[in-house]
Amino acid sequence: PLPECSHVANHDKGKVADSLDKASEEQENVVGLMSQDPLRTDTEQNNSEATTDKDAFRMNQRETEAHQTRLQHLCRICGGSFKADPYKRSHPVHGPVDNVMQAVLRKKEKRATSWPELLAKVFKIDVRGDIDTIHPTNFCHNCWNFIQKKFSNVPCELYFPRKGPVEWHPHSISCEVCGTLSRGVKRKQQALNPQVSKKLRIMARRARQIRPVRGPKQVNSKSLMKKIVNCNKIHLSTKNFAVDYPADFVKAVSCQICEHILADPVETTCKHLFCRVCILKCLKVMGSYCPSCRYPCFPTDLVSPVKSFLSILNNLPLRCPAKECDEEISLEKYCHHLSSHKDAKDKEGYVHINKGGRPRQHLLSLTRRAQKHRLRELKLQVK
């Protein structure tokens, strides 16, 4: 080998040897330090573990708080989000029952003072043992409507979005609440059977083909008869009943023409009941036949129903329409009760005015002409 090359090689070997010596010295120093102070390294390790534990605890606390705030936007019963409702209506799970629901329950002759009691009856869930960190504290207006539908006979297109109420679980890593806030708690999607879906498609296609062509609009005779009668101001509506009776019973005690409560009821030869005023008007305009079954009927054929039916009808309880009065009165005494309210109002608003300029004399001490004028005034006052 050349002398220059050998010199460079020796120089490189010297460098490598120096670096190895330095590394061994550093390692010896570290070992010496660890042997001198083992307690110091242990304390540092413990401190680092404690800080990580604290951070984890804080993170968990934040997550639970966030989870709890998210729960406030969900329904306790169906799990739906309040954002779906444009008016953002919600009702407290543990609060008292509102006035509207109280009125519905009163009509059904049932009592419930608090929502937990009512929710237990309708949805079969006990909300008394709820925990704020697991369960929402409010329920949505759709569930409120569902409860109202349960206790009233009003037909309405309402549905409960699930087979049963939602089961709520504590916050975890795979938490459904934290992931599905905007659209509510997710439901499990059921896979459609391909044979069933095909069958449904075929049925829908056939229904479209068979659908009949709509003819011109027919005149509804019932609405026409209601227009002829026009008795809204003189007859009472079935909504005035103090109790929510079954639909068939309400139909039995209401007029077949105007659908109000029977006033001065009469019976035809075909055993149908009507208000006297309504049937006479219809017979005059529509012709001499029964509006219900088209059986020949004349004003002379109309008779009063049996006394036992009249006694049942007269004893039906009605609610007073006056705001200050919440009394239940029988149908027989209804008019008298309303007139008492009217008299009280008239007395409050009545101011005695002497138009003649002299004190009013006794009726018998006046001349015949003056007596006539006075009687006319008294009749107007009575009216």
Side-chain angles (χ1 to χ4, degrees):
L2 293 165
E4 286 177 4
C5 292
S6 62
H7 178 71
V8 169
N10 289 332
H11 182 67
D12 288 343
K13 279 178 185 177
K15 274 187 179 179
V16 168
D18 290 339
S19 63
L20 285 167
D21 289 339
K22 278 181 184 178
S24 61
E25 277 174 14
E26 281 175 6
Q27 199 171 359
E28 280 172 9
N29 289 334
V30 168
V31 170
L33 283 166
M34 283 180 76
S35 61
Q36 282 172 12
D37 199 3
L39 292 168
R40 189 177 167 187
T41 52
D42 290 341
T43 51
E44 282 175 5
Q45 202 172 357
N46 289 336
N47 287 336
S48 64
E49 282 176 8
T51 50
T52 51
D53 287 342
K54 277 182 184 177
D55 291 339
F57 176 72
R58 280 173 192 162
M59 282 289 287
N60 287 336
Q61 204 170 6
R62 280 176 199 162
E63 279 179 14
T64 50
E65 281 172 6
H67 176 77
Q68 203 169 342
T69 51
R70 287 188 185 107
L71 284 174
Q72 301 308 314
H73 299 288
L74 297 176
C75 173
R76 166 68 179 86
I77 300 158
C78 67
S81 175
F82 297 141
K83 290 178 182 177
D85 184 14
Y87 301 104
K88 306 285 186 296
R89 291 167 293 186
S90 63
H91 307 272
V93 170
H94 302 286
V97 178
D98 55 69
N99 295 332
V100 178
M101 195 63 73
Q102 284 281 17
V104 172
L105 292 169
R106 208 182 297 124
K107 273 203 165 189
K108 274 283 178 187
E109 295 180 335
K110 290 184 180 181
R111 285 184 183 181
T113 51
S114 62
W115 281 118
E117 194 181 334
L118 206 57
L119 294 172
K121 281 180 185 176
V122 178
F123 298 105
K124 305 288 185 291
I125 52 167
D126 186 20
V127 295
R128 288 186 182 91
D130 281 8
I131 303 160
D132 290 352
T133 53
I134 300 169
H135 304 94
T137 53
N138 296 321
F139 64 95
C140 65
H141 195 68
N142 190 56
C143 292
W144 184 92
N145 280 329
F146 186 80
I147 298 163
Q148 192 186 23
K149 183 192 168 187
K150 279 272 184 186
F151 290 105
S152 63
N153 294 334
V154 180
C156 50
E157 290 180 9
L158 281 171
Y159 68 97
F160 187 63
R162 296 172 165 272
K163 286 181 181 177
V166 178
E167 287 183 13
W168 299 95
H169 305 286
H171 179 65
S172 60
I173 299 161
S174 59
C175 182
E176 287 185 349
V177 173
C178 298
T180 59
L181 176 65
S182 60
R183 57 187 178 279
V185 177
K186 202 173 181 180
R187 279 192 284 172
K188 287 180 182 177
Q189 199 169 12
Q190 292 179 349
L192 269 173
N193 190 352
Q195 289 180 347
V196 174
S197 59
K198 190 180 178 183
K199 196 176 179 182
L200 287 167
R201 281 202 302 275
I202 292 161
M203 282 167 72
R205 201 186 305 137
R206 281 180 185 170
R208 249 181 264 124
Q209 288 169 0
I210 300 162
R211 193 179 289 163
V213 179
R214 288 183 182 179
K217 283 187 178 180
Q218 293 180 350
V219 177
N220 191 357
S221 59
K222 204 152 199 174
S223 63
L224 184 66
M225 283 191 286
K226 279 183 183 178
K227 281 179 184 177
I228 291 162
V229 171
N230 193 21
C231 61
N232 291 330
K233 289 179 182 177
I234 55 169
H235 292 163
L236 294 168
S237 172
T238 51
K239 289 176 184 177
N240 290 4
F241 281 130
V243 180
D244 198 359
Y245 292 115
D248 292 334
F249 179 82
V250 173
K251 200 175 179 181
V253 295
S254 57
C255 176
Q256 300 287 307
I257 297 166
C258 66
E259 294 178 347
H260 294 137
I261 302 165
L262 287 164
D264 190 10
V266 287
E267 193 178 353
T268 58
T269 46
C270 50
K271 301 288 179 186
H272 288 119
L273 290 166
F274 305 94
C275 304
R276 191 182 289 277
V277 177
C278 299
I279 188 70
L280 288 172
K281 279 184 182 178
C282 275
L283 291 175
K284 196 175 182 180
V285 177
M286 305 284 284
S288 300
Y289 57 83
C290 174
S292 291
C293 64
R294 303 277 172 171
Y295 189 81
C297 177
F298 300 91
T300 50
D301 299 332
L302 303 173
V303 290
S304 186
V306 289
K307 286 181 181 178
S308 56
F309 175 81
L310 290 172
S311 68
I312 291 164
L313 183 69
N314 290 329
N315 288 319
L316 290 173
L318 300 172
R319 195 170 294 284
C320 179
K323 287 181 181 178
E324 63 272 6
C325 178
D326 199 24
E327 204 174 333
E328 288 182 11
I329 323 105
S330 63
L331 182 62
E332 198 173 14
K333 296 172 184 175
Y334 188 83
C335 292
H336 178 70
H337 181 80
L338 281 186
S339 63
S340 68
H341 279 303
K342 213 170 189 180
D343 290 348
K345 274 187 181 178
D346 290 345
K347 278 177 186 175
E348 285 170 11
Y350 180 74
V351 179
H352 181 76
I353 301 164
N354 187 3
K355 289 178 183 176
R358 62 174 186 271
R360 287 188 181 276
Q361 293 169 314
H362 193 269
L363 192 63
L364 295 172
S365 66
L366 298 168
T367 59
R368 190 168 287 178
R369 194 173 179 184
Q371 279 179 5
K372 278 184 182 178
H373 284 290
R374 184 82 180 101
L375 280 167
R376 196 178 295 152
E377 283 179 13
L378 288 167
K379 278 180 184 176
L380 287 168
Q381 279 184 21
V382 168
K383 278 184 183 178

